[in-house]
Amino acid sequence: MNIDPILKNDWHPVAAVRDLPEETITPVCLLGEELLLWQSGDRIMAWQDICPHRGARLSQGKVCGDTLVCPYHGLAYNPGGQCVLIPAYSTPKPPPNMRVQAYSCVERYGLVWVNLGETEAALSSDKIPPFLEWEDANFRKFLCGPFRYHSSGWRAMENFIDVSHFPFVHDGFLGDANHTEVSDYEVKTDAEGISLNNLKVWQPDPDGTGVGGEVTYNYRIWRPLTASFAKAAQGGKLGLFFTITPLEEEVCLGWMWIAMNYGQDIPEEALRQFQETVVQQDIPIVESQRPKRLPLDLAAEVHLACDQSAIAYRKWLKRLGVTYGTV
């Protein structure tokens, strides 16, 4: 499958570090590619899940010290992906082409990020989008997800930046059926992505604290599948970092970091449950959309004045050359 360069050369989250026990192999998927993750010491490797000898799934193998051993013929591969042992074969040095396809892999924000690209510029981990509240000790932070959507990642992201659905999908939480108007807001596209500023909405429970009122959103779309927002409420700030793993063209995972500098007396589990409830309200709506792939032709769907964010997003994706998961 040909993958758009903008996606192949980008960083994507594939797993939470917390879910990777030592000396285990974890199969994951990214852009239709079957991968595996395994650890040697403090280092996490991301490999194509196939043995170059006879095509067996290496994820069914085992970790032995600092090698991963194929379940089929016992070939052992070092952390660089090179075969270092062929049990049925007494040669002291396996052939150099007996090597697993390895991909660049880093940890950031408690997630494992993988890049399928090859160029040095693409592989710079500086391209991973910033989580602005990450280093601020005044914010309590917790990870929610992953959330599986049987739909295109673009549909899931567009839902994330849409506020006009709040009174209908999240009535009693992020919206109220008696407060449905969306005020004008500012949309800008620049070299860093897209910003959506000064979105004001009334919410009966903006954050799980149960205290309602008017809140102001400011969004930033950093990369095609990563965005964040800051929401002013109760004299404090709630930051949310949302990033999506495109498993396939019509299946994706959403990862959501929440950061709050208020509500310290509310148990984290209650706040987490609130966010998970909100996302679970979104998922069936996103999965119901047809087509599952996002139309980049603006004439394919009817747009309203409140859809400025979606229009800007679709235009931006088209300029970036995105075709994967779109129509």
Side-chain angles (χ1 to χ4, degrees), residues 117-136:
E118 299 173 355
T119 67
E120 184 176 345
L123 298 179
S124 170
S125 61
D126 291 341
K127 292 185 178 293
I128 295 176
F131 178 6
L132 299 178
E133 295 81 18
W134 183 252
E135 300 291 345
D136 192 332

Side-chain angles (χ1 to χ4, degrees), residues 32 53 67 91 153 165 172 187 203 226 259-260 288 299 310:
H53 175 224
T67 65
T91 180
H165 76 280
V187 180
Q203 297 183 326
T226 301
M260 296 175 64
S288 76

Side-chain angles (χ1 to χ4, degrees), residues 15-293:
V17 176
R18 69 188 182 194
D19 297 331
L20 301 178
E22 293 184 8
E23 298 186 357
T24 62
I25 304 170
T26 303
V28 296
C29 183
L30 175 61
L31 293 165
E33 184 81 37
E34 294 179 336
L35 309 177
L36 65 84
L37 303 176
W38 71 285
Q39 290 181 268
S40 176
D42 295 331
R43 181 181 173 190
I44 299 177
M45 274 65 65
W47 290 0
Q48 188 177 47
D49 191 7
I50 184 170
C51 179
H53 175 224
R54 286 295 179 268
R57 288 184 183 274
L58 289 171
S59 58
Q60 295 181 9
K62 59 183 178 180
V63 176
C64 293
D66 63 352
T67 65
L68 188 152
V69 178
C70 176
Y72 197 8
H73 297 97
L75 277 67
Y77 296 89
N78 68 17
Q82 178 63 49
C83 181
V84 293
L85 175 67
I86 303 176
Y89 193 56
S90 60
T91 180
K93 189 175 181 180
N97 64 342
M98 191 65 75
R99 173 182 288 273
V100 182
Q101 173 66 60
Y103 297 108
S104 294
C105 177
V106 297
E107 294 181 41
R108 190 72 54 86
Y109 317 134
L111 298 172
V112 180
W113 299 73
V114 172
N115 191 316
L116 301 181
E118 299 173 355
T119 67
E120 184 176 345
L123 298 179
S124 170
S125 61
D126 291 341
K127 292 185 178 293
I128 295 176
F131 178 6
L132 299 178
E133 295 81 18
W134 183 252
E135 300 291 345
D136 192 332
N138 293 315
F139 284 83
R140 178 165 50 155
K141 294 169 279 285
F142 53 94
L143 177 65
C144 298
F147 303 103
R148 183 177 292 266
Y149 299 74
H150 288 276
S151 189
S152 163
W154 317 116
R155 286 287 197 188
M157 179 56 72
E158 194 172 88
N159 172 78
F160 176 70
I161 61 174
D162 178 301
V163 301
S164 62
H165 76 280
F166 288 174
F168 308 99
V169 180
H170 307 302
D171 187 20
F173 291 90
L174 301 184
D176 186 319
N178 296 314
H179 297 80
T180 60
E181 184 175 351
V182 177
S183 61
D184 291 336
Y185 57 95
E186 181 184 69
V187 180
K188 290 185 178 179
T189 303
D190 54 33
E192 299 297 322
I194 303 173
S195 62
L196 315 172
N197 297 312
N198 204 33
L199 285 84
K200 296 183 181 295
V201 294
W202 196 91
Q203 297 183 326
D205 189 358
D207 44 29
T209 63
V211 180
E214 184 180 73
V215 300
T216 301
Y217 282 85
N218 290 293
Y219 284 84
R220 185 76 199 186
I221 306 171
W222 302 98
R223 301 294 298 159
L225 289 168
T226 301
S228 62
F229 70 62
K231 177 164 64 172
Q234 298 186 50
K237 176 183 172 184
L238 182 147
L240 196 151
F241 180 87
F242 184 54
T243 185
I244 295 172
T245 309
L247 302 181
E248 301 171 6
E249 293 198 76
E250 296 182 2
V251 186
C252 67
L253 294 179
W255 307 84
M256 186 174 288
W257 270 103
I258 313 298
M260 296 175 64
N261 65 359
Y262 62 98
Q264 303 296 337
D265 57 326
I266 301 175
E268 179 180 308
E269 187 53 38
L271 296 171
R272 187 192 307 277
Q273 184 57 54
F274 172 84
Q275 295 297 336
E276 294 190 354
T277 296
V278 168
V279 177
Q280 292 300 333
Q281 291 173 333
D282 279 322
I283 289 176
I285 293 294
V286 173
E287 291 183 339
S288 76
Q289 291 178 280
R290 296 293 184 272
K292 289 182 177 292
R293 304 184 186 195

